[in-house]
């Protein structure tokens, strides 16, 4: 029998109406990187929250080095050497790095903070693990990647031996991901044990030693990474065969549908425009992918295109018609469909029923309204049709309040609505964010289908793999400008990554993105899906 | 199994939760009110609370009259309540009902004194004039909000004062209307008074049917029409409404116009009530006080969960305990006590919303997205409190209660 540092045995955790963890066993060896894989709502985050003392399980026990322990709160977890990097960082933005690291463990002398000793330790740790963090920097001024390292420093400062990473790569650029994975490997080599929650099979294959797969709250199995394949992992996770790459017919693009001419969009804060002098076109039967690290103007570009933000300078031409000054409704009627980045903010009225949400963009059409009255029957019928066609799952069909549905099914509802209506241009922003492999496959197939029907598709995604997989043409945005155009067949993620981090630099480390603040709000959406 | 499903469905229906919350609010409010009465005068507290709860009907000399007055005084509460509730569906707080009510009251009076029309037509014109006055005042708030981005609460509070002082000035400067020696308006011409429902000693008139009709109409507009759909969507998620291509400016204006018209109708129905003693009428005293009916309307809207049909009951309830409160004077209690009880009921209503939100949050942790709701409830809460801080003055006899 092998030595385990942490054993979680037969953990059962129930929430009203849902069995989040059903008899799950997870054993962590010393010095290993153990991946935890599962779809949205599979119970990964719940399981980790149990380990970190945020939830108490109804059944099961946790052992540390063979000894049964009770973890009532994160402080208990800390005492046992368990640390966690949350998906949404728990940092005080207007504190320095050092202050954040010390917070909760302040060393004092005569009631005053004693920084010198703490600072020395932070510098030491930063150096030893190649974190390159400046202890005096303000957290709000450093990049997301650096903020994550502050979270890591917090764990190290507390001498944690068991490190939990909750989807750490979701917010990082490719280069940063590479560096993080190296850092994780370094920890493992030093004898620290790592639990690594992720959706991304590639990362698991790259760094993990073993992988535990959960599906719908149940334990599926634990596999050695050396002896498994991506295909097997995704099958375990979803419970069926999954196509990891989308199949696409060769198809030449038709006439120009959208032409963006020297578009400039003002930023919400600051003087620098969010989108600066951007020109490109999208033709029918073509998927144009826009790659970029979050916050480089992609959001504003699409908002300006769909009418949610005003255009400061430049022109938007949709099929020969100038829509620069058109209202949202006019653009919608002109044929723009929009899968918004943030489905909770824009895409859905969460307290409306599914039927009401399905007509959100069409409720004025004669099909659904007559003499100013809504045709409830027609709405219901239409919703049922979309539910059947797109396999949207919900508690009570068209009457379900959307808030009660899972994130994946909410997204499916938005996609169903936008894809099904008559459109010539589909602007899809992060359509697969926070979705699991099975749902991603579905969404990407829908995008390709739109293209095959001869529609133009503009795809904005932070996932390079998705951009490379689905697009016919790739544009890279950096600081509000388009810095490169690529043919997906002739480029690599690595090359795109360099351009995404600012084309002319060579290193492409996180330092260069200093000051680019992540929009935490939109991130929350993806976080909420986690069980 | 199907039986269980039905129970589940009823339990999950948002309406049942708010109904429960309302009942809970009323119950705990009355309990606290009872405690306050115990403190104020322990010996009569039991009888006192009973009188309050029964609207004073059992102890009244004329039970029919008492009942009639309860319904008569429910009319402005109901109409202003509908105004607040309707506007709230759009996500705005119409604290300006008091001003719109006063404007409606003045416009109706103006039509009553200035247009010599045959009876049968005159009061209809006066009602319409009242609606116009309220609508104008409401639209003003809407314009400020839609085109200049002025916070509707601030604009409306200002407009409450502007409206009240304007009306008092206009009334005092109008010799056809004002009787300076008595410091009140003259009696409304009989042709302008609303048809009475014939309960002797009571001002009860067709206004109650108009008000209930308005509630039903609003419910239909909200739930069955395209406009109502846009309104609800905007109130629940303004960003999604913009995304859907809705014209938020127009919706704000139209909603404030309707809300104002409702409050104005409330003012008109109050001042145009038929006289109990022939040859007299309800009168208005320009004493520079913000109309209290608006604040009762806010209470009714909150207690009724902003649902037009719910507001019918909450308005009648508020009117009932107010009349009951007056009757409790028999046992030596002052009307202020009843004001406290109403205040407590409203506070409890906001607490029960809080409780409801908490239970929902626990249930929704997994499905996520409690953010918007809590945002909404936060709005609820702050709104309620702002409604509470500005309660008007106490009321006196039959003529002064319209204040």
């Amino acid at each position: 029998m092998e030595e385990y540092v942490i054993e979680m045995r037969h953990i059962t955790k129930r929430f009203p109406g849902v069995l989040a963890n059903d008899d799950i066993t997870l054993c962590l060896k010393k010095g290993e990187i153990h991946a935890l894989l599962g779809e949205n709502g599979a119970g990964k985050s719940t399981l980790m929250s149990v380990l970190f003392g945020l939830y108490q399980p109804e059944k099961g026990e946790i052992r540390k080095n063979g000894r049964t322990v009770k973890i009532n709160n994160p402080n208990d977890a800390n005492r046992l050497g368990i640390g966690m990097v949350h998906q949404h960082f728990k940092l005080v933005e207007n504190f320095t790095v050092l202050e954040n690291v010390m917070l909760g463990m302040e060393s004092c002398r005569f009631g005053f903070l004693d920084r010198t000793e703490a600072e020395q330790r932070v510098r030491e740790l930063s150096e030893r693990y190649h974190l390159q963090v400046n202890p005096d920097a303000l957290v709000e001024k450093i990049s997301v990647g650096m903020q994550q390292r502050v979270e890591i420093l917090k764990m190290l400062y507390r001498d944690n031996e068991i490190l939990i990473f909750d989807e750490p790569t979701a917010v990082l650029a490719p280069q940063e991901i590479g560096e993080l994975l190296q850092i994780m490997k370094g920890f493992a080599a030093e004898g620290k044990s790592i639990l690594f929650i992720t959706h991304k099979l590639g990362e698991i294959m790259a760094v993990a030693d073993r992988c535990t797969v959960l599906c719908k709250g149940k334990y599926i199995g634990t596999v050695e990474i050396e002896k498994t394949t991506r295909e097997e992992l995704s099958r375990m996770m979803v419970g069926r065969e999954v196509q990891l790459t989308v199949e696409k017919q060769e198809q030449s693009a038709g006439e120009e549908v959208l032409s963006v001419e020297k578009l400039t969009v003002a930023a919400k804060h600051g003087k620098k425009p969010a989108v600066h002098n951007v020109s490109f076109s999208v033709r029918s039967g073509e998927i144009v992918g826009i790659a970029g690290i979050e916050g480089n103007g992609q959001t504003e570009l699409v908002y300006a295109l769909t009418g949610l933000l005003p255009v400061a300078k430049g022109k938007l031409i949709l099929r020969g018609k100038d829509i620069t000054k058109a209202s949202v409704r006019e653009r919608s009627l002109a044929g723009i469909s929009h899968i918004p980045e943030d489905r909770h903010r824009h895409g859905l009225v969460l307290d409306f029923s599914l039927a009401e949400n399905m007509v959100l963009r069409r409720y004025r059409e004669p099909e659904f309204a007559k003499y100013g009255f809504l045709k409830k029957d027609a709405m219901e019928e239409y919703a049922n049709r979309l539910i059947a066609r797109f396999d949207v799952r919900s508690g009570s069909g068209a009457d379900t309040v959307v808030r009660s549905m899972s994130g994946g099914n909410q997204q499916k509802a938005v996609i169903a609505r936008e894809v099904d209506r008559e459109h010539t241009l589909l602007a899809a922003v992060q359509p697969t964010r926070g979705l699991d492999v099975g749902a991603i496959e579905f969404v990407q197939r829908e995008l390709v289908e739109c293209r095959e029907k001869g529609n133009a598709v503009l795809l904005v995604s932070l996932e390079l793999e998705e951009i490379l997989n689905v697009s016919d043409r790739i544009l890279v945005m950096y600081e509000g400008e388009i810095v490169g155009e690529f043919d997906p067949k002739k480029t690599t993620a690595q090359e795109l990554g360099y351009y995404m981090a600012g084309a002319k630099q060579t290193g492409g480390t996180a330092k260069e993105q200093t000051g680019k603040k992540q929009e935490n709000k939109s991130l929350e959406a993806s976080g909420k899906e986690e069980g | 199994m199907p039986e269980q499903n039905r129970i589940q469905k009823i339990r999950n229906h948002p309406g049942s939760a708010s109904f429960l919350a309302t009942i809970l609010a009323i119950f705990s409010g009355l309990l606290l009110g009872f405690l306050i009465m115990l403190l104020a005068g322990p010996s009569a507290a039991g009888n006192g609370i009973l009188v309050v709860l029964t609207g004073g009907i059992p102890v009244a000399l004329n039970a029919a009259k008492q009942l009639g007055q309860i319904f008569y005084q429910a009319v402005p509460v109901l109409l202003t309540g509908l105004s607040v509730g309707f506007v709230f569906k759009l996500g705005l707080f119409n604290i300006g009902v008091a001003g719109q009510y006063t404007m409606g009251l003045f416009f109706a009076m103006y039509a009553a004194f200035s247009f010599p029309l045959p009876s049968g037509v005159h009061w209809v014109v006066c009602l319409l004039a009242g609606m116009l006055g309220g609508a104008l005042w409401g639209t003003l708030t809407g314009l400020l909000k839609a085109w200049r981005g002025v916070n509707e609460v601030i604009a409306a509070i200002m407009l409450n004062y502007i409206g009240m002082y304007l009306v008092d000035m206009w009334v005092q400067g109008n010799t056809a209307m004002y009787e300076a020696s008595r410091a009140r308006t003259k009696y409304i011409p009989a042709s302008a008074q609303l048809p009475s429902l014939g309960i002797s000693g009571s001002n009860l008139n067709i206004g109650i049917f108009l008000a209930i009709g308005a509630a039903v109409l609003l419910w239909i507009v909200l739930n069955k029409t395209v406009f109502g759909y846009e309104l609800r969507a905007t109130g629940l998620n303004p960003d999604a409404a913009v995304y859907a291509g809705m014209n938020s400016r127009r919706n704000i204006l139209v909603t404030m116009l309707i809300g104002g018209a409702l409050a104005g109708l409330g003012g008109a129905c109050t001042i145009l009530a038929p006289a109990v003693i022939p040859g007299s009428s309800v009168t208005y005293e320009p004493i520079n006080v913000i109309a209290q009916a608006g604040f009762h309307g806010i209470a009714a809207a909150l207690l009724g969960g902003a649902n037009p049909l719910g507001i019918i009951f909450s308005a009648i309830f508020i009117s009932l305990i107010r009349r009951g409160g007056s009757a409790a004077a028999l046992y030596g209690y002052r009307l202020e006590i009843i004001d406290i009880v109403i205040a407590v009921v409203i506070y409890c209503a906001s607490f029960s919303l809080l409780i409801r939100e908490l239970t929902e949050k626990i249930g929704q942790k997994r499905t996520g997205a409690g953010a918007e709701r809590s945002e909404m409830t936060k709005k609820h809460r702050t709104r309620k409190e702002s409604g509470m801080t500005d309660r008007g003055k106490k009321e006196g006899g039959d003529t002064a209660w319209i204040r």
Side-chain angles (χ1 to χ4, degrees):
Chain A
M1 172 128 181
E2 275 183 272
E3 268 304 298
Y4 292 118
V5 268
I6 288 287
E7 294 164 75
M8 299 183 78
R9 294 213 177 266
H10 309 293
I11 300 291
T12 298
K13 175 70 197 166
R14 187 187 296 276
F15 290 109
V18 186
L19 201 54
N21 284 166
D22 183 7
D23 193 19
I24 290 176
T25 296
L26 183 146
C27 298
L28 181 65
K29 288 183 201 165
K30 190 169 166 56
E32 78 164 341
I33 299 180
H34 192 120
L36 188 56
L37 180 68
E39 291 188 280
N40 298 315
K44 299 171 304 222
S45 289
T46 307
L47 188 66
M48 287 305 102
S49 298
V50 166
L51 180 58
F52 198 56
L54 294 170
Y55 294 136
Q56 296 307 312
E58 271 87 50
K59 266 187 230 154
E61 60 167 0
I62 303 174
R63 284 185 219 166
K64 166 105 194 282
N65 296 326
R67 206 160 42 83
T68 305
V69 290
K70 185 123 180 56
I71 305 175
N72 287 319
N73 52 50
N75 288 336
D76 286 358
N78 233 320
R79 237 165 278 138
L80 293 167
I82 301 170
M84 183 159 175
V85 175
H86 295 268
Q87 202 172 1
H88 306 296
F89 306 147
K90 316 268 182 207
L91 296 173
V92 184
E93 294 236 315
N94 51 0
F95 270 20
T96 64
V97 170
L98 178 67
E99 285 164 341
N100 265 291
V101 173
M102 289 170 73
L103 192 64
M105 281 193 75
E106 301 88 352
S107 42
C108 289
R109 222 168 39 192
F110 313 122
F112 291 95
L113 270 184
D114 181 19
R115 285 165 194 269
T116 41
E117 196 195 313
E119 186 171 341
Q120 205 183 341
R121 258 202 84 202
V122 168
R123 281 191 196 283
E124 239 174 61
L125 287 169
S126 171
E127 209 151 298
R128 188 159 136 217
Y129 295 100
H130 310 291
L131 297 178
Q132 298 167 345
V133 179
N134 172 10
D136 298 323
L138 269 181
V139 163
E140 60 189 355
K141 293 268 168 65
I142 62 178
S143 70
V144 175
M146 277 295 156
Q147 291 182 0
Q148 189 173 57
R149 293 183 184 191
V150 178
E151 286 282 10
I152 295 172
L153 262 178
K154 274 163 74 176
M155 298 195 295
L156 298 174
Y157 190 78
R158 285 158 179 72
D159 292 322
N160 290 330
E161 287 299 313
I162 294 122
L163 313 180
I164 307 170
F165 287 86
D166 190 357
E167 303 218 19
T169 57
V171 295
L172 300 182
Q175 275 75 14
E176 291 177 304
I177 291 175
E179 286 169 22
L180 175 70
L181 296 183
Q182 280 313 312
I183 291 169
M184 286 167 66
K185 274 188 168 173
F187 290 154
E190 285 223 346
K192 293 187 189 293
S193 315
I194 293 176
L195 271 164
F196 178 29
I197 306 179
T198 185
H199 276 312
K200 297 176 191 166
L201 299 173
E203 289 163 10
I204 295 181
M205 301 307 286
V207 295
D209 300 303
R210 293 192 304 152
C211 177
T212 293
V213 184
L214 307 184
C215 182
K216 292 181 186 128
K218 287 200 169 58
Y219 174 75
I220 303 299
T222 302
V223 290
E224 306 267 342
I225 292 302
E226 275 179 12
K227 294 176 194 154
T228 189
T229 59
R230 280 171 177 238
E231 284 71 22
E232 194 195 343
L233 284 178
S234 59
R235 194 167 52 240
M236 286 173 78
M237 170 160 98
V238 183
R240 62 179 168 88
E241 288 290 342
V242 178
Q243 202 119 34
L244 288 176
T245 51
V246 134
E247 266 178 46
K248 255 187 353 178
Q249 308 279 323
E250 272 305 318
Q251 179 175 325
S252 57
E255 90 268 27
E256 190 174 86
V257 171
L258 173 77
S259 157
V260 177
E261 292 167 16
K262 296 188 175 166
L263 180 74
T264 297
V265 183
K268 216 170 177 186
H269 310 288
K271 284 187 192 126
K272 212 167 168 275
V275 177
H276 183 58
N277 209 16
V278 163
S279 301
F280 66 93
S281 69
V282 189
R283 288 168 293 170
S284 69
E286 176 187 49
I287 300 179
V288 174
I290 294 189
I293 297 162
E294 183 151 17
N296 274 289
Q298 307 97 309
T299 307
E300 289 83 357
L301 172 70
V302 176
Y303 281 179
L305 174 64
T306 52
L308 296 177
L309 272 182
V311 172
K313 262 186 238 154
K315 257 190 192 167
L316 295 166
I317 313 277
L318 186 73
R319 293 211 298 182
K321 228 176 85 189
D322 190 339
I323 57 160
T324 315
K325 293 215 162 68
S327 70
V328 177
R329 170 164 288 140
E330 283 161 352
R331 291 177 204 223
S332 173
L333 291 174
I336 296 183
S337 264
H338 179 196
I339 299 170
E341 179 176 1
D342 188 339
R343 60 175 164 267
H344 289 164
R345 188 171 159 212
H346 286 119
L348 295 164
V349 178
L350 289 171
D351 293 302
F352 267 11
S353 72
L354 195 49
E356 285 173 312
N357 269 295
M358 285 300 199
V359 298
L360 193 59
R361 306 259 279 175
R362 298 188 58 190
Y363 63 93
R364 274 170 178 262
E365 292 175 18
E367 194 183 336
F368 302 113
K370 199 175 176 186
Y371 309 125
F373 281 82
L374 290 172
K375 292 188 194 164
K376 297 259 169 168
D377 292 345
M379 282 165 61
E380 190 127 333
E381 216 169 276
Y382 179 65
N384 284 331
R385 192 160 70 69
L386 290 189
I387 288 169
R389 197 185 133 206
F390 290 85
D391 188 28
V392 182
R393 289 183 209 165
S394 61
S396 33
D399 294 333
T400 316
V401 174
V402 170
R403 188 184 290 282
S404 70
M405 289 162 50
S406 75
N409 280 302
Q410 289 177 350
Q411 182 72 1
K412 272 188 179 177
V414 173
I415 289 168
R417 185 183 69 212
E418 297 304 311
V419 168
D420 187 79
R421 65 190 285 268
E422 292 269 328
H423 65 276
T424 48
L425 174 73
L426 173 65
V429 187
Q430 299 253 44
T432 60
R433 171 180 249 172
L435 299 188
D436 51 68
V437 180
I440 288 175
E441 177 196 20
F442 168 83
V443 171
Q444 293 182 345
R445 251 203 340 246
E446 284 300 328
L447 294 181
V448 170
E449 208 166 287
C450 278
R451 160 192 183 264
E452 271 156 20
K453 271 192 254 160
N455 297 334
V457 179
L458 183 69
L459 168 70
V460 176
S461 177
L462 304 180
E463 302 289 339
L464 269 185
E465 210 173 316
E466 174 165 276
I467 293 272
L468 281 164
N469 210 339
V470 179
S471 320
D472 298 308
R473 209 145 53 86
I474 299 173
L475 304 171
V476 176
M477 272 191 95
Y478 175 71
E479 299 211 321
E481 293 177 36
I482 289 180
V483 292
E485 181 172 337
F486 303 89
D487 181 343
K489 291 191 210 78
K490 293 177 192 150
T491 186
T492 60
Q494 213 59 29
E495 186 184 15
L496 292 177
Y498 283 127
Y499 279 87
M500 283 161 65
K504 279 156 207 96
Q505 68 204 53
T506 45
T509 58
K511 263 190 224 157
E512 271 79 359
Q513 296 139 32
T514 299
K516 202 165 300 151
K517 263 196 61 201
Q518 200 83 16
E519 253 184 67
N520 282 326
K521 210 171 179 186
S522 52
L523 272 175
E524 264 156 36
S526 59
K528 268 169 194 152
E529 265 111 53
E530 268 325 300
Chain B
M1 212 41 191
E3 188 57 27
Q4 209 178 346
N5 277 346
R6 200 173 310 154
I7 293 169
Q8 195 75 24
K9 213 170 174 183
I10 292 168
R11 200 168 12 162
N12 289 344
H13 192 276
S16 48
S18 52
F19 181 71
L20 203 74
T22 305
I23 296 298
L24 212 88
I26 291 172
F27 183 76
S28 43
L30 288 172
L31 196 73
L32 270 171
F34 177 62
L35 289 177
I36 292 163
M37 289 178 101
L38 264 180
L39 280 174
S43 56
N47 284 328
I49 195 83
L50 270 178
V51 167
V52 170
L53 267 177
T54 51
I57 295 170
V59 295
L61 295 172
N62 180 347
K65 175 196 162 187
Q66 184 76 4
L67 191 67
Q69 289 306 80
I70 288 170
F71 280 99
Y72 163 54
Q73 297 191 2
V75 172
V77 180
L78 174 47
L79 283 166
T80 49
L82 289 175
S83 171
V84 176
F86 187 66
V87 173
F88 193 71
K89 287 285 180 190
L90 188 78
L92 298 182
F93 183 38
N94 185 16
I95 203 177
V97 270
Q100 294 147 19
Y101 169 91
T102 309
M103 269 298 157
L105 190 145
F106 175 77
F107 270 58
M109 265 199 304
Y110 188 84
F113 287 111
S114 311
F115 309 149
L117 292 165
S119 57
V121 182
H122 199 178
W123 61 267
V124 179
V125 173
C126 292
L127 280 184
L128 291 176
M131 289 173 77
L132 176 73
L136 279 177
W137 219 237
T139 311
L140 207 52
T141 310
L143 277 172
L144 286 167
K145 171 83 184 174
W147 265 269
R148 309 261 25 116
V150 180
N151 183 309
E152 82 277 5
V153 173
I154 293 168
I157 289 176
M158 302 290 186
L159 283 171
N160 277 349
Y161 282 97
I162 296 171
M164 180 265 291
Y165 282 113
L166 265 182
V167 165
D168 286 3
M169 187 184 84
W170 286 337
V171 166
Q172 285 168 0
N174 188 328
T175 46
M177 207 183 268
Y178 190 56
E179 212 171 324
S181 59
R182 294 199 169 138
R184 62 160 173 77
T185 55
K186 292 177 179 162
Y187 292 130
I188 303 273
S191 61
Q193 293 181 13
L194 301 176
S196 166
L197 291 190
I199 296 173
S200 69
S202 165
N203 303 88
L204 186 61
N205 57 66
I206 58 157
I208 186 76
F209 296 125
L210 290 178
I212 291 174
V216 174
L217 198 68
L218 282 189
W219 186 86
I220 292 171
V221 167
L222 276 174
N223 293 293
K224 303 284 177 198
T225 67
V226 171
F227 177 63
Y229 176 87
E230 290 199 349
L231 210 78
R232 285 182 296 127
T234 310
L236 292 168
N237 187 350
D239 288 320
V242 173
Y243 160 84
M246 294 172 190
N247 184 340
S248 61
R249 280 181 176 178
R250 200 207 60 187
N251 284 346
I252 288 173
L253 268 191
V254 175
T255 308
M256 284 307 298
L257 186 142
I258 295 174
L262 287 165
L265 183 64
C269 282
T270 306
I271 197 72
L272 300 176
V276 178
I277 306 153
S280 72
S281 88
V282 180
T283 55
Y284 176 83
E285 297 168 3
I287 48 170
N288 296 357
V289 174
I290 297 271
Q292 211 187 5
F295 300 108
H296 293 150
I298 292 169
L302 292 171
L303 207 54
N307 179 333
L309 302 184
I311 295 171
I312 297 178
F313 297 101
S314 63
I316 293 171
F317 173 75
I318 286 177
S319 181
L320 177 110
I321 62 171
R322 292 193 62 75
R323 288 304 299 186
S326 308
L330 276 178
Y331 296 96
Y333 292 104
R334 297 191 56 115
L335 200 62
E336 282 85 344
I337 296 291
I338 304 314
D339 277 338
I340 293 174
V341 174
I342 293 182
V344 168
V345 169
I346 303 308
Y347 267 117
C348 289
S350 70
F351 281 130
S352 58
L353 264 174
L354 193 78
I355 295 163
R356 193 177 135 203
E357 189 197 339
L358 277 178
T359 50
E360 265 176 13
K361 233 183 199 164
I362 294 164
Q364 273 172 0
K365 219 152 191 179
R366 241 165 344 284
T367 51
E372 270 128 297
R373 171 163 299 258
S374 61
E375 198 54 42
M376 194 68 190
T377 324
K378 241 181 261 157
K379 267 188 193 167
H380 259 290
R381 248 175 273 137
T382 47
R383 280 164 182 193
K384 245 163 269 175
E385 275 142 30
S386 51
M388 293 304 304
T389 52
D390 206 344
R391 290 181 63 82
K393 282 198 179 170
K394 62 182 177 185
E395 50 189 77
D398 245 325
T399 52
W401 79 270
I402 58 169
R403 270 304 190 166

